[in-house]
Amino acid sequence: MDPNSPPASPNVRPFTVGHGDVLRIAVPMMAAYLSTPLVGLVATMVVGQLGEEALIGGVALAAVIFDVIFVSFNFLRAATAGFTAQSLGAGDRVAEQRMLLSGLLIALAGGLLILAVHAPLGRLSLAVLGAEGEVAQAASVYFGWRIWSAPFALVNFVIFGWVIGLGRSISAMVLQTLLNGLNLALSLWWVLGLGWGLAGLALASLAAEAATTLAGLVLIAVRTDRRLWTLPSLPELKRLFSVNSDMMIRSFALLLGLSFFTRQSGTLGIDILAANTILLRFYFFGVAFLDGVATAAEQLAGRAVGARYRPAFDRVIALTTLWGFVFAVLVSLGFLALSGTVIALAAPGPEVARLAYLYLPYAVALPIIGVVAFQMDGVYIGATWSREMRNLMLASLVLYVAACAVLQPLLGNHGLWIALGLFQCARSVAFRWMLPRLATRTMGPASA
């Protein structure tokens, strides 16, 4: 049996999927996800008020370290969401709680391991990033405080995955709003109000993660039946680790692709790097917005796979494709409407602003080009088709790097943006092309 395939369900469990089902998940999750890049923006502004460039650089470098650490464990959210949605579709609460408990134990063990090695990990990471002098000192202060949030952050990945897998989008939005809202409020209070500096900024993240974990555990206690808690069997553990490792590789490939874009931007000069960085802010806000549709696809597709009901699965694909393109067009129009204001505020000089306007069409097009890739990410996560997800992502990354190697020398920054667009297109086409075959393997042929 394929360890990446969902466990067999004894009965088909029909259910219907409508526009309201998609929007009830997508819209609250859009609001929740949009608050995340806002936290990063406000944190940068708060540190900027301290008036020292070294502090901004230190936080930026430490943030890279945390991005790598947390991306390494982001599979906990994805895998938990997929397994939970499938258990919901199969009507198996025992499996739901068993996978939840497994995720929580892995998160706790991973968080404690990070704390155990955090000192050498921090020194090695800063050395790799080339941090020196005041910048290195600032990064060490921020890292040294915020690293204690790791166990809470990893547990929160599991809690968010479980809530999303159950389709409880309002609960997920409340938890995400609590996390980001408390982080923002405490950052302003402890950094600017009490003058705690970078330590205050890091402690705000720690307190917000801990409070969200507490709220999530209360939700788990209310929603679950303690009589149904059981440890997973050996085959279940094998499947769990197989799916988790595949999703971790997939997340690294995506992070590597975006990091590669930034690196290549730097080879074209400081003005190009600054302009591309501004335009990537548009991209990240767009990703946060479209992740709402991806979350709807994740939950509903996973539920259909668990129920072994192909008509519901096909309906999920049709509806999330429709709403994905609707929201992608809205995002692109929003980029055009706000571009003047954002570029004027973010560009440090007229040359960077000119370049940002020159390459703006690529950033505007990316949401529409990549919407199917985001949707398919959700579908594959919900169905736990992790091996195929990993392989297709790696193949798309290779194509992206090869395209960049050819196009950037010929077309400069235009070639770099075209290569990034091809990366999104490759993911969209490859994931969508393999979808019917995987659906038939998992649930049987589509109904006539």
Side-chain angles (χ1 to χ4, degrees):
M1 178 179 176
D2 184 353
N4 291 280
S5 298
S9 176
N11 298 305
V12 174
R13 296 169 58 89
F15 67 99
T16 59
V17 180
H19 294 278
D21 298 297
V22 173
L23 295 178
R24 270 193 295 272
I25 298 173
V27 174
M29 294 313 301
M30 286 175 186
Y33 290 142
L34 280 172
S35 63
T36 299
L38 181 62
V39 170
L41 178 62
V42 172
T44 302
M45 294 170 60
V46 168
V47 177
Q49 292 299 308
L50 300 178
E52 297 182 36
E53 293 182 356
L55 299 183
I56 298 176
V59 171
L61 287 180
V64 171
I65 300 173
F66 285 110
D67 284 345
V68 172
I69 292 174
F70 292 146
V71 163
S72 301
F73 286 91
N74 191 48
F75 63 82
L76 290 168
R77 190 210 69 80
T80 303
F83 288 132
T84 301
Q86 290 174 24
S87 298
L88 178 68
D92 190 345
R93 290 199 65 190
V94 174
E96 172 203 322
Q97 293 189 196
R98 187 163 52 233
M99 288 304 185
L100 171 59
L101 178 59
S102 302
L104 290 173
L105 292 175
I106 293 173
L108 183 59
L112 294 177
L113 177 62
I114 291 171
L115 292 184
V117 301
H118 80 274
L121 176 64
R123 289 193 296 269
L124 176 62
S125 299
L126 291 176
V128 170
L129 291 172
E132 297 178 347
E134 293 181 355
V135 172
Q137 184 179 359
S140 296
V141 170
Y142 183 77
F143 177 86
W145 284 105
R146 189 182 171 190
I147 192 65
W148 293 96
S149 70
F152 300 113
L154 268 55
V155 168
N156 286 336
F157 283 160
V158 176
I159 293 172
F160 278 114
W162 173 70
V163 173
I164 288 169
L166 292 175
R168 295 176 175 267
S169 56
I170 299 299
S171 296
M173 183 181 70
V174 170
L175 289 174
Q176 189 75 52
T177 302
L178 172 64
L179 174 64
N180 292 332
L182 191 58
N183 196 343
L184 285 174
L186 293 178
S187 295
L188 292 170
W189 180 24
W190 289 348
V191 176
L192 300 182
L194 300 182
W196 290 1
L198 293 187
L201 188 68
L203 285 171
S205 295
L206 169 57
E209 294 282 5
T212 305
T213 296
L214 179 60
L217 293 176
V218 170
L219 185 62
I220 288 174
V222 172
R223 171 61 179 78
T224 58
D225 186 341
R226 54 189 178 182
R227 295 171 298 180
L228 301 180
W229 289 110
T230 58
L231 291 172
S233 64
L234 187 60
E236 287 171 329
L237 279 175
K238 181 180 178 182
R239 179 173 176 242
L240 181 67
F241 280 104
S242 175
V243 169
N244 283 337
S245 61
D246 290 338
M247 289 189 177
M248 181 175 68
I249 295 171
R250 170 260 175 194
S251 296
F252 263 124
L254 184 57
L255 177 64
L256 183 61
L258 295 175
S259 300
F260 179 76
F261 180 86
T262 300
R263 177 190 178 279
Q264 293 303 111
S265 297
T267 66
L268 297 172
I270 189 65
D271 288 339
I272 291 288
L273 175 61
N276 283 357
T277 300
I278 292 170
L279 294 177
L280 277 181
R281 294 304 101 190
F282 286 103
Y283 172 79
F284 290 135
F285 270 94
V287 168
F289 198 79
L290 294 177
D291 268 348
V293 176
T295 301
E298 184 178 329
Q299 198 278 332
L300 294 169
R303 182 182 171 191
V305 167
R308 289 296 188 276
Y309 191 51
R310 181 68 183 268
F313 181 87
D314 292 339
R315 181 70 169 160
V316 169
I317 301 303
L319 292 181
T320 54
T321 299
L322 170 64
W323 284 109
F325 276 105
V326 168
F327 286 119
V329 170
L330 292 176
V331 167
S332 293
L333 292 176
F335 285 177
L336 284 176
L338 297 173
S339 60
T341 302
V342 173
I343 292 174
L345 290 173
E351 178 60 16
V352 173
R354 184 189 71 80
L355 290 170
Y357 280 116
L358 176 62
Y359 300 111
L360 177 64
Y362 295 111
V364 170
L366 273 181
I368 298 174
I369 292 174
V371 63
V372 174
F374 299 131
Q375 174 208 22
M376 289 295 104
D377 278 349
V379 171
Y380 277 61
I381 287 171
T384 57
W385 293 330
S386 59
R387 183 177 59 190
E388 293 79 10
M389 190 178 195
R390 175 201 67 195
N391 293 343
L392 292 176
M393 177 64 79
L394 290 174
S396 299
L397 179 64
V398 170
L399 176 63
Y400 165 46
V401 173
C404 185
V406 174
L407 295 174
Q408 186 176 349
L410 293 175
L411 302 174
N413 198 42
H414 288 288
L416 182 58
W417 277 102
I418 292 171
L420 182 61
L422 288 175
F423 181 40
Q424 300 284 43
C425 284
R427 291 169 57 204
S428 299
V429 172
F431 279 54
R432 192 63 182 82
W433 169 73
M434 189 169 281
L435 179 69
R437 187 186 318 168
L438 294 174
T440 298
R441 183 190 74 184
T442 303
M443 291 167 287
S447 55

